[in-house]
Amino acid sequence: MDKVHVLHVVGKMHRGGIETLLMCIYRRIDRSKIQFDFLVSTKDPGYYDDEIKKLGGQILYAPSRRENPFTYKRKLYELLKTHDEIDAIQIHLSSCSFIEPLMIAKKVGIKYRIAHAHNTECEGKLRKIVHAINRYRLKKCATNYFACSKDAGKWMFNLRHENDFQVVNNGIEVENYIYDLKKRLSMRNKLNIGDAYVIGFVGRFETQKNPMFICETFYELKKELPNVKLLLVGEGSMHEEMEQYLKSKNILDSVIFTGVVTNVEDYLQAMDCFILPSLFEGLGIVAIEAQTSGLPCYLSDAIPQEVKITELVHFFPVENGCKIWKEELISQLKNKFERKNMYDEIVEANYDISHTAHKLEKFYLEMRGNRE
């Protein structure tokens, strides 16, 4: 019996959140029945390319739409027409500003065309206009709708009823994130943290994540709690602005920039609190990871409530400034807090990656049944 071939549309298979999620699922699905392939828009090698090929997947290339939209459409049409083994195409959306792959897939006769929402807002006036227009065009070319949260599905697809789309939890490899005292001590020693309190953040240094708010909060916190450090895991276009601000406040030596790392779970062990003041999020999967590590989490109230799996999560607005954040963090850090093993809570909430993989596997196999 032929495999079901699912083509995932991504920019490049690097270590981004969506790409890492796809690889975790890919490793766990029944690959004797389901095959993942990936459509990328750059010939630069991706972090996961070799593993994809070892698992039997293809990496297909169509030139970036930004270079020449007409060439892109023509090349993609030719590519999809040539690869008639593809049963489904699944596009991962941060907005509806880019839905051409689904439109072209419909033209070439791909039966299943899945739109998967991963965000609840987009930036830029032009992108917002295109997004609003394409939400209606999407209904003519998509056959199925997935979302990482209820809020993401409602915003992305302009669908009022949750029954109109499926929420697919962004599962994680739970066992990798469980609190481990030995790992904590090892990481803190490696980072030369000593006995300092550590506020941590993991993510891109971009406007959406509100990194300057983190820096400002840390500055206020440092005034009242000198023995505190800020651990920033990630990279982004706002790095220099952040560094200049921290330097101007004479607190740069209390901040650790790690850059992009492959072992986020180890850095979470070293933290005492986790902060995520995002202006918007599809879900905020890093907050799931932080909870799994047993960390108290201080999140923007713009983040979907579904991320609150445990009592470790606290939501606050960012519009009124960082004062309340500073006060809550000081209270948390000064009180003795014992981190616990959160495995059961995370698994029961169905955020284990095995549950996510099983749910998608069932969906893809039902497609095969309908195909036959």
Side-chain angles (χ1 to χ4, degrees):
M1 192 177 291
D2 292 340
K3 292 182 181 181
V4 176
H5 280 257
V6 182
L7 180 65
H8 291 277
V9 181
V10 294
K12 176 182 177 180
M13 282 308 292
H14 55 33
R15 284 190 59 87
I18 293 170
E19 295 82 3
T20 299
L21 172 67
L22 289 174
M23 289 306 298
C24 288
I25 294 167
Y26 189 21
R27 296 178 191 121
R28 285 165 174 77
I29 59 170
D30 186 343
R31 294 189 301 279
S32 68
K33 299 177 181 177
I34 301 165
Q35 183 60 60
F36 278 8
D37 300 314
F38 300 87
L39 175 65
V40 302
S41 57
T42 174
K43 289 185 176 179
D44 295 335
Y47 179 86
Y48 291 117
D49 287 5
D50 289 342
E51 184 180 0
I52 289 168
K53 293 171 185 175
K54 284 181 182 178
L55 295 176
Q58 303 177 85
I59 300 172
L60 308 180
Y61 167 75
S64 172
R65 176 188 60 159
R66 293 175 184 172
E67 294 177 17
N68 189 316
F70 299 105
T71 300
Y72 173 80
K73 289 179 182 180
R74 178 172 56 83
K75 291 287 188 182
L76 183 55
Y77 180 89
E78 293 170 357
L79 183 71
L80 295 182
K81 198 72 176 173
T82 303
H83 287 271
D84 57 1
E85 76 278 7
I86 297 170
D87 298 289
I89 185 168
Q90 187 165 335
I91 185 168
H92 298 271
L93 302 169
S94 57
S95 77
C96 285
S97 60
F98 176 59
I99 63 171
E100 280 86 348
L102 295 182
M103 297 169 69
I104 295 169
K106 183 179 180 180
K107 285 183 180 179
V108 303
I110 294 176
K111 186 174 180 181
Y112 294 95
R113 303 175 298 274
I114 306 162
H116 196 151
H118 292 278
N119 224 340
T120 57
E121 186 56 80
C122 61
E123 298 174 289
K125 188 174 181 180
L126 179 58
R127 178 172 288 184
K128 288 182 178 181
I129 292 171
V130 176
H131 168 77
I133 294 169
N134 280 356
R135 283 199 302 187
Y136 295 97
R137 299 174 72 199
L138 186 65
K139 293 178 174 63
K140 296 180 180 179
C141 60
T143 58
N144 301 86
Y145 302 91
F146 291 167
C148 65
S149 68
K150 294 174 185 176
D151 288 353
K154 290 176 180 177
W155 175 78
M156 186 71 71
F157 307 130
N158 197 28
L159 297 172
R160 295 183 180 182
H161 303 292
E162 294 165 20
N163 293 336
D164 294 331
F165 59 88
Q166 290 189 54
V167 173
V168 178
N169 290 345
N170 287 0
I172 66 170
E173 295 177 300
V174 178
E175 60 278 4
N176 291 347
Y177 291 88
I178 298 303
Y179 176 61
D180 185 317
L181 179 58
K182 288 184 180 179
K183 282 186 181 179
R184 172 180 169 81
L185 295 176
S186 174
M187 283 303 296
R188 288 175 72 91
N189 182 59
K190 176 183 175 182
L191 295 168
N192 195 28
I193 289 171
D195 62 353
Y197 298 115
V198 179
I199 306 297
F201 165 81
V202 178
R204 294 173 293 110
F205 304 157
E206 305 293 347
T207 301
Q208 176 188 346
K209 304 294 182 179
N210 207 6
M212 292 308 298
F213 186 91
I214 298 172
C215 296
E216 292 162 8
T217 301
F218 181 65
Y219 171 60
E220 295 299 327
L221 188 63
K222 188 77 174 171
K223 290 179 185 178
E224 298 185 36
L225 202 65
N227 189 29
V228 63
K229 290 184 180 291
L230 179 60
L231 178 56
L232 298 169
V233 181
E235 193 49 87
S237 64
M238 296 180 70
H239 186 143
E240 186 176 347
E241 182 183 354
M242 296 163 68
E243 204 165 79
Q244 287 178 351
Y245 173 86
L246 295 164
K247 187 176 182 179
S248 72
K249 299 298 183 182
N250 297 314
I251 55 174
L252 183 58
D253 59 352
S254 295
V255 180
I256 302 168
F257 286 94
T258 71
V260 176
V261 302
T262 59
N263 56 333
V264 166
E265 62 274 17
D266 294 336
Y267 286 87
L268 289 172
Q269 299 285 342
M271 300 173 189
D272 295 301
C273 288
F274 179 80
I275 184 171
L276 188 66
S278 302
L279 302 178
F280 56 91
E281 290 282 353
L283 176 71
I285 188 62
V286 68
I288 305 288
E289 296 170 346
Q291 287 176 80
T292 309
S293 295
L295 281 172
C297 299
Y298 292 83
L299 315 179
S300 159
D301 61 3
I303 297 174
Q305 296 288 313
E306 290 156 81
V307 81
K308 182 179 172 66
I309 296 174
T310 71
E311 294 304 313
L312 293 168
V313 171
H314 311 277
F315 292 103
F316 299 100
V318 296
E319 294 84 2
N320 300 330
C322 60
K323 184 179 178 181
I324 187 171
W325 292 70
K326 174 206 69 174
E327 292 172 351
E328 291 291 336
L329 286 166
I330 287 175
S331 176
Q332 177 68 57
L333 293 170
K334 284 186 173 180
N335 290 327
K336 190 173 181 180
F337 176 77
E338 184 180 348
R339 286 167 73 171
K340 298 178 181 177
N341 186 320
M342 305 302 291
Y343 181 88
D344 290 341
E345 288 88 339
I346 305 300
V347 171
E348 286 171 13
N350 293 327
Y351 275 95
D352 178 49
I353 190 62
S354 296
H355 176 271
T356 305
H358 178 73
K359 181 172 183 174
L360 286 175
E361 181 178 292
K362 183 180 178 183
F363 173 83
Y364 297 140
L365 292 178
E366 285 176 354
M367 285 192 328
R368 180 173 69 175
N370 292 335
R371 179 188 69 185
E372 296 166 351

